[in-house]
Amino acid sequence: MSDKILVIGEARDGELRNVSYEAIAAAKKIKADSEIVGVICSNDDIESQAQEMIYYGADRVVTIKHENLKTYTPEGFGQALMRVINDESPSGIVMGHTSIGKDLTPKIASKLETGLVSDAVEIESDGDNVQFIRPIYSGKAFEKKIITSGLTFVTIRPNNIPMLKRDESRSGDVNSKDVDVTDIRTIIKDVIRKASEGVDLSEANVIIAGGRGVKSADGFKPLYELADVLGGAVGASRGACDADYCDYSLQIGQTGKVVTPDLYIAVGISGAIQHLAGMSNSKVIVAINKDAEANIFNVADYGIVGDLFEIIPLLIEEIKKIKQ
Amino acid sequence: MNIYVLLKKTFDTEEKIAVSDGRIEDDGAEFIINPYDEYAVEEAINQRDAHGGEVTVVTIGDEDSEKQLRTALAMGADKAVLINTEDDLEDGDQYTTAKILEAFFEDKEADLILAGNVAIDEASGQVGPRVAESLGIPYVTTITSLKIDGETVSIEKDVEGDVEIVEASLPILVTCQQGLNDPRYPSLPGIMKAKKKPLEELEIDDLDLDEDDVEAKTKTIEIFLPAEKEAGRVLEGDTGDKVQELVSLLKNEAKVL
């Protein structure tokens, strides 16, 4: 019998997050010939999301709709997923290492009395033995982990394991399951949206991050413009957040978000070690800073020493030219 | 109120990391209270001061962990417990830690358990939710505000930058996020008092556990440093030239545009 791996899909604003598709690719990496079963918990219409999971490589999808799954709670989603896990008896479970993934998976691992590898950035497998690579010590080192007993349970860091090519010719069953979701002891009264609209920082391919050198909230305007031209998101160092140039929801670093975009442009950021912890694994790093001695230049692939207020507008113009 | 804090000793990640024989070298390294656990200690003290009760700080570690426990006592915690696994366990994982804590809490009546949302060394963030689940109490992770009124608990939770307002009741476990409070530095009188505060030392045997009960489910087989990055290129010329060269490099060499 072949293996079966559950991939827990996660929706936001009516669409699945990219990391859910990456999780399907991760499941394939764990065992190429396994049956991949997507799971989506929601109160929305989730048919189209389920269909997308199939296009991205899932063999079939189980959906659970319930009014108590409208917003995520560990107990609500926990009950729904435990029911699917009990019915399906999978050999593995994969989910994104997102706010929800981090919150939910340890609960399930505890219920199942199993291990859990959190925040993997790479998976190596020869079909039988699977090794997970994950950053430790704020990305200053990596560890290779194996699961010695029980379920292959892993969360993956967004933006690291490439999703498979979307294939509309794929088909598979989408089954909805009735689960009674009750006794929620943590009630979500309200959600205050602070994170910027548009591109999600943890999933952005391009990030323009500003530091103290940006000097003011107004100084961030050209950064937003550059992000716009590049289809990216704006982030910030702790220094810029502490100085009230922008909201803490934009903070990247040890105590903020950890990001690994394809292109990270650090603008007026000195490169404190806490900041590097959040971005040093980005694929290409550009530093723009007027201080030639700034630490950020040590991790940057390309650096420009100079006045950011002069450089950014020129950069926007140049990029517009090649994007035409 | 019976308040417990789960505390972990961590390597100070501002230290340079070196690896030898597949292990992080920690000879002579500075160890600290995991920074997120400091928020938990501070919050526990504040809640006790507002509502009465007692703060007990619990850690799993070795005899050197006493130092971090004394620091928490000096900040204002009342009691400390060190579960010393040095002689009994080689390698544990989050399953191991949660199992030990579950056994520890079996005969306790905790109203509030606080932990950091993640430890900066292994950064799995699993232990808090695992412990809550095994004790059958609800949990809220990454909290930035905690208000307790009788049995009712109002929480602000950071969700990737958005804020969720959560209502629950005691007993509960919460994990702390930056922004919850500003942890105090231990005062000199605090440090003096801490020396006399009770610090209980237990081994897993005292919790009716043996090695097999807590055997890890995962194993680290290798630790390595990221590949050394080649020194980056600082572009030369006047500003216009530098910007043009950058765009061309990003497009043709790095292929990210």
Side-chain angles (χ1 to χ4, degrees):
Chain A
M1 199 187 78
S2 72
D3 291 64
K4 187 194 286 180
I5 301 180
L6 292 189
V7 171
I8 304 172
E10 186 187 328
R12 173 139 87 188
D13 300 333
E15 274 185 48
L16 279 190
R17 299 179 67 167
N18 286 341
V19 71
S20 301
Y21 304 127
E22 292 164 8
I24 295 172
K28 288 262 186 215
K29 281 191 166 211
I30 290 168
K31 202 148 175 47
D33 61 356
S34 54
E35 181 188 18
I36 294 177
V37 182
V39 186
I40 306 175
C41 303
S42 179
N43 189 37
D44 296 333
D45 186 20
I46 37 187
E47 281 295 306
S48 66
Q49 295 169 16
Q51 198 54 52
E52 284 299 320
M53 281 189 103
I54 287 170
Y55 292 157
Y56 277 99
D59 295 302
R60 58 189 175 87
V61 178
V62 178
T63 59
I64 305 152
K65 249 174 105 164
H66 195 286
E67 58 174 356
N68 285 343
L69 300 174
K70 188 166 180 278
T71 39
Y72 165 80
T73 57
E75 288 173 306
F77 275 50
Q79 286 173 46
L81 285 166
M82 281 309 294
R83 175 62 194 285
V84 179
I85 292 165
N86 287 332
D87 290 352
E88 299 279 350
S89 320
S91 56
I93 305 176
V94 186
M95 188 173 184
H97 195 68
T98 57
S99 181
I100 293 178
K102 285 180 224 182
D103 194 81
L104 176 64
T105 52
K107 178 187 178 78
I108 296 193
S110 175
K111 265 197 191 301
L112 298 171
E113 299 253 315
T114 182
L116 167 62
V117 175
S118 303
D119 202 20
V121 293
E122 221 178 301
I123 296 170
E124 291 171 355
S125 173
D126 62 8
D128 293 314
N129 304 299
V130 193
Q131 301 181 339
F132 301 94
I133 295 171
R134 59 185 300 275
I136 52 174
Y137 296 88
S138 305
K140 286 189 186 173
F142 289 87
E143 65 174 348
K144 206 176 254 190
K145 282 203 114 167
I146 55 169
I147 289 168
T148 46
S149 130
L151 206 62
T152 302
F153 196 178
V154 58
T155 61
I156 58 160
R157 181 177 287 196
N159 238 345
N160 281 270
I161 295 166
M163 58 178 93
L164 305 171
K165 219 172 142 53
R166 186 173 183 274
D167 177 0
E168 275 193 48
S169 71
R170 289 180 54 84
S171 63
D173 289 341
V174 177
N175 295 107
S176 72
K177 199 180 264 297
D178 278 326
V179 180
D180 199 17
V181 181
T182 56
D183 296 328
I184 312 284
R185 291 178 292 178
T186 54
I187 312 294
I188 312 296
K189 290 286 191 191
D190 199 7
V191 182
I192 302 164
R193 288 281 187 142
K194 284 179 129 180
S196 51
E197 299 282 313
V199 187
D200 176 359
L201 204 48
S202 61
E203 294 192 343
N205 289 319
V206 178
I207 293 175
I208 320 298
R212 276 193 180 275
V214 178
K215 288 191 181 129
S216 66
D218 259 1
F220 265 79
K221 280 183 186 154
L223 275 61
Y224 278 101
E225 208 181 317
L226 179 56
D228 213 32
V229 175
L230 289 167
V234 170
S237 70
R238 180 170 184 175
C241 298
D242 282 345
D244 251 346
Y245 302 165
C246 54
D247 193 84
Y248 279 104
S249 62
L250 300 187
Q251 189 184 328
I252 291 167
Q254 186 161 288
T255 43
K257 289 197 172 75
V258 176
V259 296
T260 38
D262 294 333
L263 174 60
Y264 190 92
I265 304 183
V267 183
I269 289 178
S270 62
I273 195 138
Q274 290 84 351
H275 184 73
L276 300 188
M279 50 63 76
S280 63
N281 293 325
S282 302
K283 278 150 212 135
V284 176
I285 299 171
V286 174
I288 298 170
N289 203 300
K290 66 173 196 262
D291 175 11
E293 301 299 316
N295 192 39
I296 193 76
F297 288 112
N298 294 326
V299 297
D301 299 279
Y302 307 111
I304 295 183
V305 179
D307 177 5
L308 68 96
F309 296 105
E310 195 184 333
I311 293 165
I312 300 294
L314 286 173
L315 192 52
I316 292 168
E317 287 317 305
E318 281 301 316
I319 289 168
K320 273 185 182 162
K321 274 188 216 160
I322 65 158
K323 293 262 172 185
Q324 268 164 12
Chain B
M1 202 163 41
N2 245 335
I3 307 173
Y4 287 85
V5 178
L6 311 182
L7 184 142
K8 187 179 187 187
K9 170 183 83 172
T10 57
F11 199 93
D12 188 347
T13 49
E14 292 195 25
E15 298 249 346
K16 190 165 167 55
I17 303 272
V19 172
S20 63
D21 292 335
R23 294 250 160 208
I24 300 278
E25 261 187 62
D26 58 9
D27 287 348
E30 196 61 36
F31 282 90
I32 56 172
I33 296 178
N34 172 42
Y36 291 99
D37 300 351
E38 282 187 341
Y39 298 121
V41 174
E42 176 68 28
E43 193 62 24
I45 295 166
N46 292 339
Q47 295 295 343
R48 177 205 59 200
D49 291 349
H51 304 286
E54 197 173 63
V55 175
T56 307
V57 185
V58 187
T59 199
I60 297 174
D62 53 31
E63 57 175 22
D64 293 339
S65 309
E66 189 179 329
K67 187 180 162 211
Q68 287 73 37
L69 288 176
R70 291 284 174 206
T71 303
L73 292 171
M75 287 171 75
D78 302 291
K79 298 197 308 196
V81 178
L82 166 60
I83 304 171
N84 191 334
T85 57
E86 204 174 7
D87 298 332
D88 298 313
L89 300 178
E90 283 258 310
D91 290 305
D93 66 356
Q94 295 81 13
Y95 173 83
T96 310
T97 304
K99 272 278 155 193
I100 295 171
L101 290 170
E102 179 188 351
F104 170 79
F105 279 108
E106 202 163 64
D107 61 350
K108 311 281 184 295
E109 279 187 20
D111 298 303
L112 176 64
I113 304 176
L114 300 114
N117 89 75
V118 74
I120 58 171
D121 50 6
E122 287 170 48
S124 81
Q126 292 182 24
V127 172
R130 275 183 184 264
V131 168
E133 175 61 30
S134 61
L135 298 177
I137 62 172
Y139 63 86
V140 180
T141 57
T142 57
I143 70 161
T144 53
S145 167
L146 176 66
K147 292 199 173 64
I148 299 173
D149 182 8
E151 292 292 299
T152 308
V153 184
S154 306
I155 290 170
E156 290 183 14
K157 170 181 164 65
D158 167 45
V159 182
E160 298 180 11
D162 292 336
V163 181
E164 275 182 9
I165 313 294
V166 187
E167 207 167 281
S169 56
L170 297 176
I172 194 166
L173 181 147
V174 293
T175 74
C176 305
Q177 171 70 311
Q178 180 201 7
L180 178 62
N181 53 42
D182 287 313
R184 69 194 73 189
Y185 290 102
S187 64
L188 195 57
I191 294 168
M192 299 309 289
K193 270 194 223 160
K195 292 180 178 162
K196 297 202 184 81
K197 288 182 178 174
L199 190 152
E200 185 185 9
E201 193 171 328
L202 301 172
E203 295 192 359
I204 59 167
D205 190 37
D206 300 315
L207 300 170
D208 289 328
L209 291 170
D210 63 37
E211 242 176 282
D212 293 345
D213 297 328
V214 298
E215 194 185 343
K217 305 277 187 187
T218 61
K219 188 177 162 67
T220 299
I221 54 170
E222 194 187 334
I223 288 177
F224 57 95
L225 298 177
E228 284 274 338
K229 241 184 145 159
E230 276 180 47
R233 281 171 59 183
V234 175
L235 309 177
E236 305 285 341
D238 73 26
T239 306
D241 293 344
K242 286 192 271 197
V243 169
Q244 270 185 8
E245 192 186 356
L246 175 66
V247 171
S248 144
L249 286 166
L250 290 177
K251 185 168 193 280
N252 302 316
E253 189 178 271
K255 298 192 177 10
V256 288
L257 289 184

